[in-house]
C-alpha cells in the first residue's frame, strides 16, 4: 500500500516534473532564447524555457488523461475525466514559477547560477507546482508529504544523470 501511494504521488506530479526538466531537455528546439529578466532572475531563465516547460507539462497531463480514458487507472490519483487540462497547465506553470521565485532570491543572495542552494534548488518547483495546482485540486496530505520528501532526491538523481549524459552543464 505504501509503495502504491508513492507511485500515485509521482504519477500525479509528472506534469510538474516534466515542466521542470523541459528547459534542459528541449534546449535543442530552435526558438528565441531571450532571458525573462536577466538582472533579476539571471540569464538562464528564458522565455523559451518557460513556454516549452508549460507546454510539456500540459502535454503530459493530456497524455495522462488519454491513458486514463483508455483504462490505465491503476496509478491515477484523480479521475482525469473530472479535470480539465487546466490542472496540467497549473502544475507545469507552478513548477516553473517556483523555480523563477527561487532564482530571484538566489540572485538577491548573490548565489551564482549553477551553484547549490539546498534545499531550495530541490523544492522550488515542487512547492510552486503544488501551490498553483491546489487552485484546482488539493491532494491528500500523504501525497503532499511524499512529494516533498521524495522529489528532492529524484531532482538530485536526475540532475546528476543529466550531467553525466552531457545534457546539463552542472550537477545541480
Amino acid at each position: 500500500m505504501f509503495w502504491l501511494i508513492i507511485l500515485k504521488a509521482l504519477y500525479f506530479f509528472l506534469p510538474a516534473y516534466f515542466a521542470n526538466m523541459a528547459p534542459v531537455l528541449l534546449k535543442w528546439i530552435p526558438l528565441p532564447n531571450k532571458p525573462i529578466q536577466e538582472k533579476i532572475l539571471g540569464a538562464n531563465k528564458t522565455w523559451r524555457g518557460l513556454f516549452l516547460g508549460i507546454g510539456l507539462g500540459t502535454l503530459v497531463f493530456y497524455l495522462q488523461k488519454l491513458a486514463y480514458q483508455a483504462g490505465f487507472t491503476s496509478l491515477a490519483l484523480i479521475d482525469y475525466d473530472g479535470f480539465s487540462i487546466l490542472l496540467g497547465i497549473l502544475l507545469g506553470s507552478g513548477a516553473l514559477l517556483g523555480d523563477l521565485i527561487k532564482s530571484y532570491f538566489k540572485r538577491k543572495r548573490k548565489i551564482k547560477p549553477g551553484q547549490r542552494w539546498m534545499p531550495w534548488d530541490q523544492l522550488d518547483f515542487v512547492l510552486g507546482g503544488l501551490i498553483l495546482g491546489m487552485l484546482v485540486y488539493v491532494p491528500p496530505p500523504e501525497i503532499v508529504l511524499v512529494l516533498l520528501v521524495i522529489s528532492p532526491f529524484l531532482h538530485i538523481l536526475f540532475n546528476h544523470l543529466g550531467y553525466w549524459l552531457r545534457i546539463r552543464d552542472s550537477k545541480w
Side-chain angles (χ1 to χ4, degrees):
M1 181 69 176
F2 178 68
W3 290 108
L4 186 59
I5 291 171
I6 291 172
L7 291 174
K8 284 184 176 214
L10 297 176
Y11 184 76
F12 166 73
F13 215 59
L14 280 178
Y17 289 139
F18 275 91
N20 189 55
M21 292 187 294
V24 173
L25 290 176
L26 303 177
K27 66 182 175 184
W28 54 269
I29 293 179
L31 291 174
N33 201 26
K34 185 177 185 324
I36 296 169
Q37 179 50 264
E38 189 170 354
K39 186 177 179 181
I40 296 174
L41 302 174
N44 296 331
K45 303 305 174 196
T46 66
W47 289 106
R48 178 182 70 183
L50 181 67
F51 289 124
L52 288 175
I54 293 169
L56 185 58
T58 304
L59 175 64
V60 168
F61 184 86
Y62 179 71
L63 294 173
Q64 288 175 307
K65 192 172 180 77
L66 290 178
Y68 186 84
Q69 292 167 347
F72 183 72
T73 59
S74 59
L75 292 181
L77 177 65
I78 60 173
D79 172 2
Y80 284 87
D81 285 335
F83 287 93
S84 75
I85 202 134
L86 177 63
L87 180 55
I89 294 168
L90 290 172
L91 288 170
S93 299
L96 295 173
L97 181 61
D99 186 53
L100 290 174
I101 292 169
K102 183 255 335 209
S103 290
Y104 170 78
F105 285 105
K106 204 171 176 180
R107 297 299 87 77
K108 290 294 252 183
R109 294 179 57 94
K110 308 233 187 290
I111 299 170
K112 295 178 183 173
Q115 188 176 344
R116 287 188 279 184
W117 194 30
M118 292 182 80
W120 302 112
D121 287 328
Q122 293 75 35
L123 286 174
D124 56 354
F125 75 99
V126 179
L127 292 170
L130 284 170
I131 290 168
L132 269 192
M134 285 181 185
L135 295 172
V136 174
Y137 172 73
V138 178
E142 64 271 15
I143 297 297
V144 173
L145 182 62
V146 164
L147 291 171
L148 290 173
V149 171
I150 291 182
S151 294
F153 294 106
L154 290 175
H155 187 263
I156 291 169
L157 173 71
F158 279 96
N159 279 343
H160 278 73
L161 182 63
Y163 177 76
W164 293 325
L165 293 173
R166 300 187 200 306
I167 298 171
R168 287 185 54 88
D169 297 330
S170 69
K171 294 179 185 177
W172 301 98

